[in-house]
Amino acid sequence: MEKASFKEKSSIAKMVGTIVSLVGALVVVLYHGPRVFTPSSPPFQELHQLLPPLSSSNSDWIIGGCLLAIKDTLVPVAFILQAHIMKIYPAPFTVSFFYFLIASILTSLIGIVAEENNPSIWIIHFDITLVCIVVGGIFNPGYYAIHLWAVRNKGPVYLAIFRPLSILIAVIMGAIFLGDLFYLGSLVGGILISLGFYTVMWGKAKEEKTQLLSLSEEAPLLIKNIDDQI
């Protein structure tokens, strides 16, 4: 698990970098500003036709925002629990299998309750829906196994710091492939996210280097104590 100490530069770097990354993510989401980049002819403009319209009532947006806030609050807790699980049972593929099995059962029960008056929603058509299901079934278990491996070997902070970076990647990919507008807020937020990300990585690397040096200094003492006992 991660340790926080204001006496160590590596720990301070990780805390400051995390805060800067979160601020950058908020800037990307909440602040637009003037346009910086306007694509003329996006290469995959036809993908917009496959996406559902984003029109909804204000109450739906409020409920969705609250659910997202709850989800983002529980994700760090999940990372910490995953770190404990991987210490007790270090088998990422088995944990990944049971995770998706339980998630499938729970989401199916929720779907039955939420769509009890709409049985046609369960019909799978040969369109983008089927593609999403197949791709998700193939890549998600492998992704989660890598996810658990990273939590086990690098800790929850190392994994969590990539989440603000995913917002920046999504904005850039949307501007390149879907023709979305690129605003000043996205640029400023992207710079902050990148600075925070590399600050955390620097702190993590320095912390690991310090741990290796301490282990290398302790090893000769342990060998000497063993020789003395013999």
Side-chain angles (χ1 to χ4, degrees), residues 2 10-11 13-14 154 158 197-213:
E2 300 291 337
S10 60
S11 183
K14 290 192 295 183
K154 293 294 186 178
Y158 182 86
F197 174 79
Y198 285 109
T199 302
V200 173
M201 292 298 101
W202 178 86
K204 190 71 177 176
K206 190 172 182 62
E207 184 180 61
E208 292 178 351
K209 183 179 179 181
T210 303
Q211 292 175 353
L212 289 174
L213 289 175

Side-chain angles (χ1 to χ4, degrees), residues 30-227:
L30 300 178
Y31 174 70
H32 276 181
R35 296 178 184 177
V36 177
F37 173 71
T38 304
S40 56
S41 57
F44 298 104
Q45 185 65 33
E46 62 272 10
L47 289 178
H48 277 296
Q49 300 175 359
L50 301 176
L51 301 176
L54 295 178
S55 60
S56 179
S57 62
N58 290 331
S59 60
D60 291 338
W61 282 102
I62 293 173
I63 295 173
C66 293
L67 292 175
L68 284 175
I70 294 173
K71 186 266 293 184
D72 289 331
T73 303
L74 294 177
V75 163
V77 178
F79 286 165
I80 297 173
L81 292 176
Q82 289 166 10
H84 284 291
I85 291 172
M86 293 307 296
K87 284 184 178 180
I88 299 172
Y89 190 76
F93 285 100
T94 304
V95 175
S96 177
F97 169 76
F98 283 105
Y99 170 83
F100 281 99
L101 177 63
I102 296 172
S104 299
I105 295 172
L106 292 177
T107 52
S108 298
L109 294 175
I110 294 173
I112 292 172
V113 174
E115 301 291 344
E116 58 180 349
N117 297 324
N118 188 16
S120 61
I121 198 70
W122 297 97
I123 300 175
I124 299 176
H125 301 281
F126 291 93
D127 54 6
I128 191 66
T129 305
L130 180 60
V131 175
C132 292
I133 294 173
V134 173
V135 172
I138 294 173
F139 288 101
N140 278 342
Y143 155 77
Y144 194 71
I146 297 173
H147 175 111
L148 292 173
W149 176 87
V151 170
R152 177 189 173 190
N153 290 276
K154 293 294 186 178
V157 172
Y158 182 86
L159 187 65
I161 197 61
F162 282 89
R163 297 189 69 85
L165 193 64
S166 65
I167 298 176
L168 175 62
I169 295 173
V171 171
I172 295 175
M173 297 292 284
I176 294 174
F177 295 105
L178 298 179
D180 294 340
L181 300 177
F182 195 79
Y183 295 96
L184 179 63
S186 300
L187 179 61
V188 175
I191 294 173
L192 291 176
I193 290 173
S194 301
L195 289 175
F197 174 79
Y198 285 109
T199 302
V200 173
M201 292 298 101
W202 178 86
K204 190 71 177 176
K206 190 172 182 62
E207 184 180 61
E208 292 178 351
K209 183 179 179 181
T210 303
Q211 292 175 353
L212 289 174
L213 289 175
S214 62
L215 290 175
S216 63
E217 291 175 356
E218 293 176 358
L221 296 177
L222 292 174
I223 296 173
K224 183 178 180 181
N225 290 332
I226 293 173
D227 294 336

